[in-house]
Amino acid sequence: MAKVVVVKFKGGCKPYYFSPNGLEFKRGQGVIVETTRGLEYATVVIPEKEANEKELVAPLKPIVRIATQADEDTMRRNEERKSEAIRIAKERIRKHNLEMKLIDCEFTLDGTKVIFTFTAEGRVDFRELVKDLASVFHIRIELKQVGIRDESRILGGIAPCGRECCCAGCMPDFKKVSIKMAKNQGLSLNPGKISGLCGRLMCCLAYENDYYAAAYKKMPKVGGTVSSPEGKGTVIAVNMLKMTARVKIEKDNAFFYRDFPVEDLGYKRSEEEPAEDEKEEE
C-alpha cells in the first residue's frame, strides 16, 4: 500500500493520485502538480489515502507544491482571459470557413500555451488557423478535438432528470451504453426520452443494468401465455422492481386482470435474447 493524495482538475470529476511529497494537505486546498501538459492547478479532494499498488500508474508523480496566492491570482487572470480568447478564436474559425464548433479554451498555468477544445464531424485541417491564432496571442496554440459526449462533460448542464449531467458531475469515465439496457428496463424506446443532452443514450441507463438484466431473464414476456393460480392468461405488463406480472385472464366469457408474483406463474422462456439487441450499441 502507498500513501497518496487524491486531486481533481478544474471542470473534471475524475480523481488522480499523486505522492504527498512529505507535505500535509487539507480538503479543498489548491496544489500545483506536474502532468504531460506541464504544471497544472488542481484541488485536493482526499488529503491522505492508502492505495493499492495496482491502482497506481507508475511512476507516481509528487505534488510540486501547495498553491500560493500568486498561483491563485494567475488562475483568476487566466479565467478572465478565457471569454475574449474564445471570441477571437470563433472569429478566426469563421474567417477560415472551418466546419468546427469551439466549446472551450484553457491557458496553462505558466501562460506559455492556450488549448482550444472543439468538436467536428470529421477531421479538420486547422494549420492555417493555428498560425493565425499564434500571431494574435503570441504563445503556443494547441487545438484539441473531442467527441460529442465530451462536449456535454465540458459544458455541463441540467439533464432530463433535473440534476446535473452525470458526465460533468459524478462520472469519472464514460461507460458503454446500449439500446438493450433501455429494453431490459422496460423504458420507452423514443430517442427523445432515453437520450441525454449530447443526443446519445443516457449514461445512467448503465447504473442499474446488472439488476434489470438479471430480473429480465426471470420475467415472462409481455404478450406471452402463462398459467396462474386463477387460470391461464396473457401477460400484459411486468414490474421488475416488484417482480410481478399483470395477467389478463378470460373466464366465463369475461376478461379480468390480476397482478401475480413471478414465482406464482408458470411459463417457459428462452434464455437467448434477440440478436438485434446485441448490435444496437452506442
Side-chain angles (χ1 to χ4, degrees):
M1 303 291 281
K3 287 187 177 182
V4 298
V5 178
V6 185
V7 307
K8 290 184 180 179
F9 294 98
K10 173 184 168 293
C13 53
K14 183 174 181 177
Y16 291 87
Y17 294 160
F18 285 86
S19 168
N21 200 18
L23 302 174
E24 293 186 0
F25 305 95
K26 297 178 182 178
R27 186 186 300 272
Q29 188 174 41
V31 293
I32 305 302
V33 298
E34 185 177 359
T35 69
T36 54
R37 291 165 50 175
L39 294 180
E40 289 194 74
Y41 181 95
T43 304
V44 175
V45 291
I46 301 179
E48 186 175 317
K49 172 186 174 181
E50 287 194 348
N52 193 304
E53 298 289 346
K54 294 180 180 179
E55 299 179 52
L56 307 178
V57 178
L60 187 65
K61 290 190 175 182
I63 289 179
V64 177
R65 65 176 187 273
I66 295 173
T68 63
Q69 186 58 50
D71 294 322
E72 301 285 353
D73 292 341
T74 299
M75 289 296 295
R76 189 183 66 255
R77 286 195 298 271
N78 286 345
E79 193 65 25
E80 290 172 352
R81 298 170 65 189
K82 180 175 172 179
S83 58
E84 179 65 12
I86 290 177
R87 184 190 66 79
I88 293 172
K90 285 183 176 179
E91 286 182 357
R92 296 304 192 275
I93 289 171
R94 287 193 294 268
K95 173 185 172 183
H96 292 278
N97 295 316
L98 296 174
E99 295 294 327
M100 55 192 291
K101 178 183 177 184
L102 187 67
I103 57 175
D104 193 29
C105 93
E106 180 183 358
F107 288 88
T108 56
L109 185 66
D110 57 10
T112 60
K113 182 169 69 172
V114 57
I115 303 164
F116 292 98
T117 307
F118 70 95
T119 59
E121 291 293 332
R123 294 179 63 86
V124 179
D125 184 357
F126 47 68
R127 288 173 292 184
E128 293 302 318
L129 174 63
V130 169
K131 294 177 183 177
D132 199 351
L133 292 174
S135 68
V136 174
F137 294 101
H138 304 292
I139 55 177
R140 288 175 57 200
I141 305 294
E142 180 180 327
L143 269 71
K144 179 181 177 183
Q145 184 172 357
V146 298
I148 192 169
R149 297 178 82 187
D150 292 287
E151 178 183 358
S152 293
R153 179 200 288 266
I154 293 169
L155 297 180
I158 303 301
C161 62
R163 296 173 62 89
E164 182 182 22
C165 290
C166 295
C167 59
C170 63
M171 195 174 68
D173 295 299
F174 289 117
K175 295 183 178 180
K176 192 174 185 179
V177 187
S178 72
I179 205 74
K180 184 177 179 180
M181 294 179 179
K183 291 182 178 180
N184 285 347
Q185 297 175 42
L187 300 176
S188 165
L189 300 185
N190 182 342
K193 294 183 180 292
I194 58 175
S195 298
L197 299 184
C198 60
R200 302 292 180 85
L201 293 174
M202 292 189 292
C203 298
C204 57
L205 290 176
Y207 291 170
E208 299 175 354
N209 184 63
D210 290 345
Y211 168 81
Y212 280 103
Y216 186 83
K217 294 178 180 179
K218 300 176 183 178
M219 304 298 290
K221 287 187 177 181
V222 175
T225 300
V226 297
S227 59
S228 74
E230 298 186 33
K232 285 191 174 183
T234 303
V235 178
I236 62 168
V238 295
N239 186 319
M240 283 183 280
L241 292 177
K242 295 182 177 180
M243 293 302 288
T244 60
R246 176 158 293 184
V247 181
K248 177 183 177 182
I249 301 172
E250 182 179 4
K251 187 176 289 187
D252 299 328
N253 295 321
F255 292 101
F256 61 95
Y257 302 87
R258 292 287 187 272
D259 290 337
F260 296 100
V262 173
E263 60 265 24
D264 292 345
L265 300 176
Y267 60 93
K268 183 178 180 181
R269 176 155 187 169
S270 170
E271 291 295 325
E272 281 190 24
E273 302 299 333
E276 61 267 20
D277 285 355
E278 300 291 345
K279 296 177 182 177
E280 297 183 67
E281 294 188 344
E282 188 67 45

